[in-house]
Structure formats: C-alpha cells, structure tokens
DNA sequence: TTGTAAGCGTTATCAT
DNA sequence: ATGATAACGCTTACAA
C-alpha cells in the first residue's frame, strides 16, 4: 500500500485535483474529465470508479480553471438599480431559482440609479467572465454603448423591466400598458370621473407605457385627457405628496388618482389623510408594483402586481436560449408578462 | 444608436492579452505584468509605455487567469437569509461599498432561511474561489460544519448579525442587548408597568440578547419578570397578532409591548387596532430593526435601528484584516456596533 | 474506449 | 530592471 505523503492535514488549503484522481486510479486526466462531465466516450465501469473515488476524496471541481479554459464561467451577471423594496428582490429570487436549476450561479450588482456605476458594473461582470448579463436599467441611463462590449464578445444580453428605448434588444417586460389600463378602468368603474395620473420619467419604457394605459382607459370611457391632471416626477413618496397637494389646489377637484408607482401613491395617501380627505370616498387611489406596504396602509392600497418571479425566470430562460444558439439570428426576442390588479380598499365602494 | 455590435472585427470574442502587449512593445510578458500591477522592479519609462499601450488597445485583465494562478479571486461571497425588507439590502450596500473600495466584487447568495441551501451556497462560493465569505445564518442553522471547509482552506470567514452559538468566530454584531434595553427602558419611562415581550427563537444570538436586554431593563426598574408576558415565536406578522391576542386575554392586562422584530410588532398593532384599543394610550409599542414600514403605520412605530451599512462595512474591514494576516492568530475578532432607538408615536405620551 | 499534449492568461521563480 | 519559463487545473483536438 502506497504511503500517502499527506493525508488530510487539517490546514491543507489545496484541494484535490483531477490529476490526483488520475494518479490514484492509474488512468489519464482525460478519462477523469470525461467521467466527471458525463461525456459519452467513457466506459460505464470506469466512470463509476472515478465517481466513487471523487466522492471519497471529496473532489471539488475548480470552476475557475474550467472557465479559463473554456473562456467562460458558469456565472450569470445581474445589474439592477437597487435591491430595496419588493420588486427587485423577487425578480432576483426568480433568477436565482432558474439559474441554479441550469447550473449557474448569480452575481448581483446594484447601479444605484447611476449610469456611471452601471457602466462599472458591466465591466466588473465582463472581467468575471460571466456567461450572460441580465440588466434592468438605471433611471438616468439614456445611452447604451456600455453594453456594446457585452454583445461584441458574444455574451447573451437580456434586459428586463427597464429596457433601452428605441433599440432592438432581448427583453422581458411586464405589459405595463395593460396594468395601467386595468387599474385606471377599475377606478372609472368605481365611479371616478376625474382621475389624475402620477407619471414617472417618460424616457423610461415602463412609465411611458403606464401613462399610455391610463390615457387609453380614459378614452375607452369617453373621457378627454387633461394634461393638468398628469404629474411628472421621480415617483418618490415626497413627489407623490407634492403632486397630490398640487392636484388638490385645482379648481375642479379630482376624485381618483392612479400612480405609476406605489411610493408615489403612498405619498399622495399620506397627504390626503393629513388633510382629512377620505379615501376612497372623496378620492380613490391605485398604485403600481404591489409593494409590501400596500397591504398595511389604512385603507390598504389597490395596486398592480408585476409577476416579479416570473420575470426573473423568463429572463433566465431567454438567456439559456441565446446561449444555446451561439450565433443567434439577428432577431431579438421579446417576452411580455401579464400583470394582475390587486384590488383593495383604497379604491372600493365609490358607487354604493 | 448602438445597434450593430460590429466595430472592429465584428465577432471578436477574444480580448487583448498581456502577450499581445508584450509582442507589440517587444518586451517580455513579465515586464507587462509588472507594469500593470505596479511592481517596484520596473522602469518608470517602460511602465508608462505599457500603460499607454494598454489603454490604447483597451486591454482588460483576465481575472479568471489571475485567480487561477494565485489560487484566489477578487470576489467576496456573501450569504444572507433573504434580501427583502430593509436590513439585509442595507448591509449588502455597506459591503459592496467597502469591498469595491478595496477592489473586490461581491457575490450574494440567499439561504432562504434554509440550512440546506446555506450549505450549497457555501459550496458555490468555494467553487467560485472567493477570497472571503461573509455570512448571516439561516434561522434553522444550529450546526456549523459546512463552514469548516472555508476555514480549512484558509479563507477568511466573517459572520454578521446572526452568528453561530457557542463558537469562537470572527463576527460583527449589533449590541442587541443594549438596543432592547433602551427600547424597554423607554417604554417604562413612558409610564408602562406591565411590558410584554415578543421574543424570537432563543437559539439565535440576536433574539436571546434582545430578550435579556428586555429583562435587564425591567430589573433596573425593580419590576419582576413574568414568563407569562413573554411570547416565543418566529416573529412573523401573524405570530405578532396571535401573541397580542393571547396577551389581551390575560387577567392582568399589559400596557406595553416590546417586540424583537418589526414584523411582529406590526402584527400586534394591527390586532390592537382591530379591537379598537388605542396606541399608545392603552398599550404602547416598540419594535426592532427600524424597517421602512415603521414610518408609515399609524401611529408610526418606535423601533431600534441596527446600523445596517456600518455592519456591512465593518464586516469587510474585518475580512480585509484577516486576509492581510495570512496565518492569523488563533484569536477571533468581535466587532460590536451600537444601536440607536428611533422614538415615534407608538410609544409616546403615556404619562401626560 | 482511452491517452497525449497543447493550451487558456496570469503570476512567480529563477536567472541575467 | 528585464527576461525565460514553469506552473495553476481544466478542456479538447488528435492519436492510438
């Protein structure tokens, strides 16, 4: 019996490699590699021997080496504006689930709504040799050259939720138009006749579509749009309160508000309550995103749910398809998910 | 705009390497490496030439190769129970900031409060050859052997917030005892005399310490502890409501509640409001974590802030120290942060 | 079915 | 101050 130079010396930083297995078994490294990666050209018996020894010696593959050799890792890079709130964590959750199922790990970067950081994040991910990049754009990203390098290296690039304007890209988005349409229609069905809209920056697809959904719902009810009832902002809670204050000062008062985001509608709600205005009796409210806090305000807030996890899963599925087709056709793929309106007390019983 | 990715050689997936620079400049790769990594043995002039060419050719270092060669990447692995809510995103934010400053990227994994997933996450991180591992334990982790491999490979291991019980580890924690003490003392100072406590699982350090802080505050006011006033649960909103219902049924009613988490105190608040019990007049409330929603409930909730970002930064600092001392002394380092009580209406004006 | 050997792009150890 | 060269651990033509 061969005397092992070192057994498991407790502070052995070096793991067991394929070479070790090969030596131990008296076969070549090729055989080991094939056995471990389930290659077809390998004898069943040999494979078993290798697998057994690998388990016994607790062999751990060095993914770095494999990635270097193959020119690509099993890492999936994700860039999001932020991870607070409910939306992005849930999307990431969906991504992780789907990615892990396909044998990929996920590395998440935040752009903090800052193009410059977004640019650096993309560099970081490329340096890590990620196999793919999934992005939801920062608020102020209006120029997209930092993604050229991703494409030119042939790395699958998928945008989700906030996608580039006027570009042909692979994307997964919610049908924001439909969500806004449903929410606004719901307010109208509850008896509202002067519905205001708290809109986000219009260079961002989601906010543009939500505004259009709002307008189309009005049109369907034969109501003429009124720009005075549309407030444009960054949709923070403060923005929502300020907008509400402005709307209250209007000669002809509003009786409903649909906001393109939950923070804004929260701000509006807080202002209304501070003024003693009843919700939904005097003014009905509906938001967008179905954030966690919509269920704890009083009254609870009606809001459009965004199918967060589905979005993450869909983004990964799209990535996998792109990765499977090395020199993919020029056509970029779009996936559109259907929203769901969660009706709560902030918008109910307007017409008894 | 940036539609076609064909700039130079349209489908050139291969980046420029150090060998390319060397050839171009007629020097050796060693020189290139030295110039780029700011080694001391290098002529200033040569260095400039290399740097200039590198910039011109847009050289991007292949971190994978460097990591393989050095046996370690510039990635920092983080394992957290979940990323929803405010606490973990903020900690991660602190980690990213500090890590990026030190030239590290961060890869985040969620254990979803599941040891089995936590175990797999650790494996994933090791496979990615992370330079360090930062962990906050899952709720049901009571056995810590899956971290042995991290240590035995000589990879710095730092726990934060939820740390292993009865083990000597490097850790960054909040002074939970002090936070609970402050919150409970505050309730007592507001005139409460029968303060209940919604406690979390006692095998988790933070909940154990919060309970002790609660007890010590009572003792400081000469109040005998009463186990009937302590409710043990997983601290969800539902748990909080159920606990409150139980407390209300007590013959001798409580006049204050301190919960070891904000979700639980939220549940308690919702139940009290549904029963028409006035907060804080009849019962004063205080929670722990200073979650975002504590500022939007009515009344707003008093809560203990956990210095989330500082915790992240401290964890990275600790990692960097450990990484700097290759064969560190046996002593493990502890960092303790001081909490801050945010007093809001849910606990005020009990004694007019 | 199995083996040989040439890299992948760096860093590190020599020597010059 | 610079260079030649050998690893790091794995994949993959190409041979046998």
């Amino acid at each position: 019996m061969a005397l092992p130079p070192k057994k498991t010396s407790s502070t052995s930083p070096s793991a067991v490699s394929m070479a070790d297995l090969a030596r131990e078994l008296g076969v070549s490294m090729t055989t080991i590699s094939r056995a471990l990666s389930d290659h077809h050209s390998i004898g069943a018996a040999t494979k078993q021997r290798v697998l057994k020894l690998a388990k016994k010696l607790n062999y751990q593959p060095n993914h770095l080496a494999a990635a270097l050799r193959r020119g690509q890792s099993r890492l999936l890079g994700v860039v999001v504006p932020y991870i607070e709130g409910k939306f992005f964590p849930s999307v990431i959750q969906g991504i992780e689930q789907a990615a892990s199922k396909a044998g990929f790990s996920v590395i998440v970067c935040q752009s903090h709504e800052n193009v410059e950081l977004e640019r650096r994040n993309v560099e970081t991910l490329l340096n890590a040799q990620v196999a793919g990049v999934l992005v939801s754009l920062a608020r102020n990203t209006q120029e997209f050259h930092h993604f050229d390098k991703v494409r030119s290296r042939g790395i699958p690039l998928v945008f989700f939720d906030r996608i580039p304007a006027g570009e042909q890209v692979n994307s997964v988005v919610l049908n924001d138009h439909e969500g806004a349409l449903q929410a606004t229609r719901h307010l109208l069905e509850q008896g509202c006749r002067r519905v205001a809209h708290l809109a986000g920056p219009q260079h961002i697809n989601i906010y543009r579509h939500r505004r259009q959904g709002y307008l189309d719902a009005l049109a369907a009810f034969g109501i003429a749009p009124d720009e005075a009832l549309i407030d444009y902002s960054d949709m923070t809670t403060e923005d929502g309160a300020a907008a509400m204050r402005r709307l209250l000062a209007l000669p002809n008062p509003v009786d409903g508000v649909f906001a393109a985001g939950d923070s804004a509608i929260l701000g509006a709600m807080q202002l209304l309550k501070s003024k003693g205005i009843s919700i939904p009796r005097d003014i009905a409210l509906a938001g967008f995103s179905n954030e966690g806090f919509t269920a704890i305000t009083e009254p609870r807030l009606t809001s459009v749910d965004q199918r967060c996890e589905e979005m993450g899963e869909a983004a990964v599925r799209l990535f996998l398809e792109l990765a499977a087709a090395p020199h993919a056709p020029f056509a970029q793929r779009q996936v559109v998910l259907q929203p769901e309106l969660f009706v709560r007390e902030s918008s109910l019983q307007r017409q008894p």
Side-chain angles (χ1 to χ4, degrees), chain A residues 184 187-188 192-197 214 218 229 255-258:
Chain A
T184 309
L187 289 174
L188 294 167
C192 297
R193 278 306 166 264
R194 270 178 72 76
V195 178
H197 176 47
Y214 156 79
L218 293 186
L229 295 189
D255 56 8
V257 180
F258 162 60

Side-chain angles (χ1 to χ4, degrees), chain A residues 39 54 81 86 92 105 121 203 273 292:
Chain A
H39 193 273
K86 185 192 127 204
I92 290 169
S105 298
N121 286 335
H203 68 269
K273 293 176 80 165

Side-chain angles (χ1 to χ4, degrees), chain A residues 114-152:
Chain A
N114 180 341
V115 211
E116 202 38 63
L117 259 174
E118 182 175 281
R119 196 167 280 135
R120 289 223 292 277
N121 286 335
V122 172
E123 286 296 335
T124 300
L125 294 177
L126 286 178
N127 285 341
Q129 306 306 91
V130 292
V133 177
L134 314 185
V135 187
S136 194
L137 294 172
R139 189 191 291 291
N140 62 347
T141 301
Q142 305 205 44
E143 186 272 316
F144 316 106
H145 287 300
H146 46 305
F147 299 111
D148 292 352
K149 202 180 298 178
V150 180
R151 290 201 196 83
S152 68

Side-chain angles (χ1 to χ4, degrees), chain A residues 5 19-20 111 161 258 280:
Chain A
D20 299 324
S111 66
D161 198 52
F258 162 60

Side-chain angles (χ1 to χ4, degrees), chain A residues 241-260:
Chain A
M244 197 65 241
R245 188 177 294 114
R246 231 171 291 131
L247 289 169
L248 286 180
L250 250 40
N252 215 336
V254 304
D255 56 8
V257 180
F258 162 60

Side-chain angles (χ1 to χ4, degrees), chain A residues 5-330:
Chain A
K6 41 177 165 177
K7 257 289 189 38
T8 36
S9 55
S10 65
T11 47
S12 128
S14 57
V16 25
S17 74
M18 283 179 30
D20 299 324
L21 299 185
R23 198 177 321 111
E24 191 83 11
L25 246 46
V27 299
S28 77
M29 271 179 58
T30 315
T31 301
I32 304 292
S33 175
R34 283 178 176 141
L36 293 172
S37 54
D38 214 23
H39 193 273
H40 61 273
S41 294
I42 183 86
T46 328
K47 185 156 106 187
Q48 285 317 310
R49 285 209 308 151
V50 174
L51 260 38
K52 197 170 146 213
L53 182 69
K55 177 143 288 179
K56 181 180 155 211
L57 297 190
N58 189 29
Y59 165 77
Q60 294 297 127
N62 184 329
H63 291 185
L64 241 44
L68 174 61
R69 176 60 232 253
R70 276 199 318 240
Q72 169 182 286
S73 73
R74 296 290 277 183
L75 280 175
L76 210 48
V78 177
V79 183
V80 293
Y82 53 87
I83 58 172
E84 302 201 15
K86 185 192 127 204
F87 180 66
F88 286 114
S90 302
V91 176
I92 290 169
Q93 162 62 2
I95 291 175
E96 283 188 355
Q97 209 118 53
S100 129
K101 217 170 282 177
F104 288 84
S105 298
V106 175
I107 163 170
V108 178
C109 303
Q110 303 181 62
S111 66
H112 295 289
E113 300 282 18
N114 180 341
V115 211
E116 202 38 63
L117 259 174
E118 182 175 281
R119 196 167 280 135
R120 289 223 292 277
N121 286 335
V122 172
E123 286 296 335
T124 300
L125 294 177
L126 286 178
N127 285 341
Q129 306 306 91
V130 292
V133 177
L134 314 185
V135 187
S136 194
L137 294 172
R139 189 191 291 291
N140 62 347
T141 301
Q142 305 205 44
E143 186 272 316
F144 316 106
H145 287 300
H146 46 305
F147 299 111
D148 292 352
K149 202 180 298 178
V150 180
R151 290 201 196 83
S152 68
R153 286 212 201 159
I155 296 174
L157 177 62
V158 176
F159 291 91
F160 62 93
D161 198 52
R162 300 208 205 151
I163 68 176
E167 301 242 334
Q168 268 298 82
V169 296
N170 297 296
S171 63
V172 180
V173 291
L174 186 78
N175 190 334
D176 288 286
H177 178 274
E178 173 66 19
L181 190 84
Q182 281 181 21
T184 309
R185 190 168 53 207
H186 165 72
L187 289 174
L188 294 167
E189 283 167 357
Q190 295 296 309
C192 297
R193 278 306 166 264
R194 270 178 72 76
V195 178
H197 176 47
L198 309 189
Q202 295 295 300
H203 68 269
I204 303 181
N205 56 305
I206 55 176
Y207 296 122
R208 201 168 52 247
H209 295 152
R210 290 174 195 175
R211 175 175 173 279
Q212 194 56 50
Y214 156 79
L215 291 175
D216 290 349
L218 293 186
F221 271 70
I223 298 178
D226 180 354
E227 269 293 335
L229 295 189
I230 305 183
D231 182 279
Y232 300 90
S233 74
D234 278 352
M235 312 288 293
T236 64
T237 307
E238 292 71 31
D239 292 328
M244 197 65 241
R245 188 177 294 114
R246 231 171 291 131
L247 289 169
L248 286 180
L250 250 40
N252 215 336
V254 304
D255 56 8
V257 180
F258 162 60
D262 280 336
S263 294
I265 204 71
L266 173 66
M269 167 178 267
Q270 288 173 335
L271 186 99
L272 289 176
K273 293 176 80 165
S274 77
K275 299 282 187 204
I277 297 173
S278 165
I279 305 165
R281 202 167 36 106
D282 299 331
I283 300 186
L285 303 178
F288 209 111
S289 278
N290 204 18
E291 281 288 342
F293 62 75
T294 54
I296 70 177
T297 55
E298 294 175 59
R300 301 184 306 153
L301 279 162
T302 288
S303 191
V304 179
D305 188 81
Q306 295 184 92
R307 328 311 299 263
C308 324
E309 304 206 5
E310 285 93 328
M311 188 173 288
E313 287 164 23
V316 172
R317 255 202 312 275
L318 192 39
F319 153 72
L320 290 172
E321 288 175 21
L322 295 169
H327 285 290
F330 259 67

